[in-house]
Amino acid sequence: MTSLDKPTEENSADDARAVTEAALFEAFGGVRGMVETVVPGLLFVTIYTINKDLHLSAIAALAVSLVLVVVRLVMKDTVKHAFSGVFGVAFGVVFAMMTGNAKDFYLPGMLYTLGLGLAYVITALCGVPLIGLILGPVFKENLSWRTRNPGRKKAYTKASYAWGAILLAKCAILFPLYWWADTTQLGWVLVALKIPPFLLAVWLTWVFLAKAPAPIDVFAEMEAEEKAAEERERQSAARSAEQ
């Protein structure tokens, strides 16, 4: 390796890390997505802690979720994270209103977290890690990692196990509190556990992928194949014209 080769390799590694960071940021919503995830639950538990009014707390949480969607729409931004928040809050409101138990506002989200944690583990065990299915399109590799990029598949498998373990550990804390703690205690613990476990999972995913082989850009391959086919057709037409 010459003195000129090393900086080039380092720059390539830095570029790969930057691409990975950008892709993770896009896939998981970034700072704004985290805020949109936390705010409704934070507002619910704050109002309920102050006045113990289930209806007011639920309506306020749903209203702020809708406002976040409207803001996204006005700014012509991606709304998938905000919409998922609205659906989650809406299910929580319905559960709580039906049972009259304020703790049930959190139950759909807790069940979703449990199901998602199991999905990460099960798909990793089956050789089709969920995190790869989520991030494959973001990296423009689709499912090429399954058969053509074993190092990347291994990284996705590790990341899926990490997500599963973190989410299941979170459930191991929350479900006992659902049965034993009151609404405000459960609510504040749940708010506190929103961002740190998520950041840990994203960071571990970045660590695994940063060390993995680069993704195979299947879209670029398809474009290259199309151009090659067009070139062959052009050359064939030219030869036919000459004859």
Side-chain angles (χ1 to χ4, degrees), residues 142-222:
N142 286 348
L143 297 178
S144 62
W145 50 267
R146 287 197 63 200
T147 55
R148 300 174 57 192
N149 204 338
R152 198 152 182 90
K153 180 180 178 180
K154 184 177 180 180
Y156 281 139
T157 301
K158 289 180 179 179
S160 287
Y161 278 128
W163 276 90
I166 290 168
L167 293 180
L168 292 178
K170 182 177 175 180
C171 289
I173 297 171
L174 293 178
F175 276 96
L177 289 176
Y178 174 79
W179 295 110
W180 301 329
D182 60 32
T183 301
T184 55
Q185 291 171 332
L186 173 62
W188 287 112
V189 171
L190 204 151
V191 168
L193 289 178
K194 276 284 185 181
I195 293 180
F198 172 80
L199 290 179
L200 175 59
V202 171
W203 178 75
L204 287 173
T205 302
W206 177 84
V207 169
F208 295 138
L209 291 180
K211 298 177 181 178
I216 298 170
D217 191 336
V218 295
F219 295 105
E221 288 183 343
M222 287 188 291

Side-chain angles (χ1 to χ4, degrees), residues 55-238:
H55 290 78
L56 179 60
S57 302
I59 292 171
L62 185 57
V64 75
S65 296
L66 292 171
V67 168
L68 292 172
V69 171
V70 171
V71 170
R72 288 257 189 182
L73 290 172
V74 170
M75 298 180 66
K76 298 181 179 179
D77 203 350
T78 304
V79 296
K80 62 180 179 179
H81 298 289
F83 267 128
S84 64
V86 168
F87 288 128
V89 172
F91 277 118
V93 169
V94 170
F95 268 64
M97 294 295 188
M98 287 177 60
T99 64
N101 183 353
K103 283 196 290 187
D104 287 340
F105 173 79
Y106 303 110
L107 187 57
M110 292 167 57
L111 292 173
Y112 173 77
T113 300
L114 176 60
L116 188 60
L118 291 173
Y120 276 117
V121 173
I122 292 171
T123 56
L125 287 171
C126 293
V128 193
L130 180 57
I131 198 69
L133 300 179
I134 294 172
L135 294 180
V138 178
F139 284 110
K140 300 180 180 179
E141 60 182 335
N142 286 348
L143 297 178
S144 62
W145 50 267
R146 287 197 63 200
T147 55
R148 300 174 57 192
N149 204 338
R152 198 152 182 90
K153 180 180 178 180
K154 184 177 180 180
Y156 281 139
T157 301
K158 289 180 179 179
S160 287
Y161 278 128
W163 276 90
I166 290 168
L167 293 180
L168 292 178
K170 182 177 175 180
C171 289
I173 297 171
L174 293 178
F175 276 96
L177 289 176
Y178 174 79
W179 295 110
W180 301 329
D182 60 32
T183 301
T184 55
Q185 291 171 332
L186 173 62
W188 287 112
V189 171
L190 204 151
V191 168
L193 289 178
K194 276 284 185 181
I195 293 180
F198 172 80
L199 290 179
L200 175 59
V202 171
W203 178 75
L204 287 173
T205 302
W206 177 84
V207 169
F208 295 138
L209 291 180
K211 298 177 181 178
I216 298 170
D217 191 336
V218 295
F219 295 105
E221 288 183 343
M222 287 188 291
E223 289 178 1
E225 289 175 2
E226 289 176 0
K227 290 180 179 179
E230 291 173 358
E231 179 62 21
R232 287 194 296 270
E233 290 178 2
R234 187 188 64 79
Q235 292 176 355
S236 177

Side-chain angles (χ1 to χ4, degrees), residues 8-21:
T8 302
E9 292 180 2
E10 290 177 351
N11 290 338
S12 298
D14 290 340
D15 290 342
R17 293 190 184 96
V19 170
T20 300
E21 290 172 8

